[in-house]
Amino acid sequence: MLERFERFSFAIMEISKYWHKLSADEMERHGLRSTHSVYLITMAKHPDGLTAPQLCELCSRDKSDVSRMMRMMEKQGLVTKESAHQRRYNGVFRLTQAGIEAADYLKQRIALAVSLAGKDLSDENRTIFYEALTSIAENLRQLSKEGLPEE
């Protein structure tokens, strides 16, 4: 069991490490950070816009990170905030046309990265792999809420 845990842990850490490096390299070309990719992709899925609390939930980020990233993306002309209030945490954030174009570009680059990363997997193995990852993530999410059961 310990060997399986080590293989799983190291594989996940390595995937995360290289994924973040690729993301950082791609986002740097646009004067952004790798974290911005999460926001761009998430916001592209919600063309009617998202509030800061929604972004916190969907992107698994805290309030200060959302505020800081939205401010940076506004300065880059990628996001606009619509609100009657001046406070950063209120209102709805939407991608501008430049933001939509950046998200579309990013989606293409992500598709290429995923395709190349999984090139050695058959369609059947790829399906099983993604189903397994989804199941593991859901189970870990539940365990993190409830805690590990006592033996």
Side-chain angles (χ1 to χ4, degrees):
M1 182 64 90
L2 186 57
E3 182 181 325
R4 282 180 30 208
F5 170 77
E6 288 173 348
R7 286 180 61 203
F8 172 79
S9 295
F10 287 124
I12 293 296
M13 286 186 298
E14 195 169 17
I15 288 169
S16 179
K17 172 185 170 183
Y18 292 119
W19 185 257
H20 286 288
K21 182 187 180 328
L22 287 169
S23 178
D25 291 347
E26 288 299 317
M27 297 309 289
E28 184 178 38
R29 295 177 186 188
H30 301 285
L32 299 170
R33 298 180 183 168
S34 66
T35 305
H36 290 108
S37 62
V38 173
Y39 291 108
L40 283 170
I41 296 303
T42 301
M43 293 179 76
K45 292 179 184 178
H46 299 88
D48 292 334
L50 293 166
T51 63
Q54 290 170 320
L55 284 166
C56 288
E57 178 69 25
L58 293 171
C59 298
S60 298
R61 304 287 194 225
D62 63 25
K63 179 179 173 180
S64 64
D65 187 70
V66 168
S67 180
R68 185 174 48 256
M69 292 299 142
M70 289 301 106
R71 187 170 37 257
M72 290 174 74
M73 291 174 70
E74 280 182 291
K75 286 180 182 177
Q76 292 281 347
L78 301 173
V79 171
T80 185
K81 183 181 107 181
E82 298 173 7
S83 172
H85 305 285
Q86 293 302 319
R87 289 182 33 216
R88 175 117 346 247
Y89 205 62
N90 292 327
V92 175
F93 293 97
R94 288 187 177 82
L95 291 177
T96 62
Q97 186 59 40
I100 292 168
E101 291 169 9
D104 287 344
Y105 171 81
L106 187 57
K107 287 180 204 177
Q108 292 173 8
R109 301 300 288 171
I110 288 169
L112 176 61
V114 170
S115 175
L116 293 173
K119 68 182 179 189
D120 299 330
L121 298 176
S122 68
D123 288 341
E124 181 182 0
N125 283 344
R126 191 175 294 109
T127 299
I128 292 167
F129 174 71
Y130 289 131
E131 287 173 358
L133 281 179
T134 299
S135 177
I136 290 167
E138 288 173 3
N139 290 337
L140 288 173
R141 184 180 306 113
Q142 194 64 33
L143 285 170
S144 73
K145 288 179 183 176
E146 298 172 1
L148 287 173
E150 297 298 323
E151 292 186 64

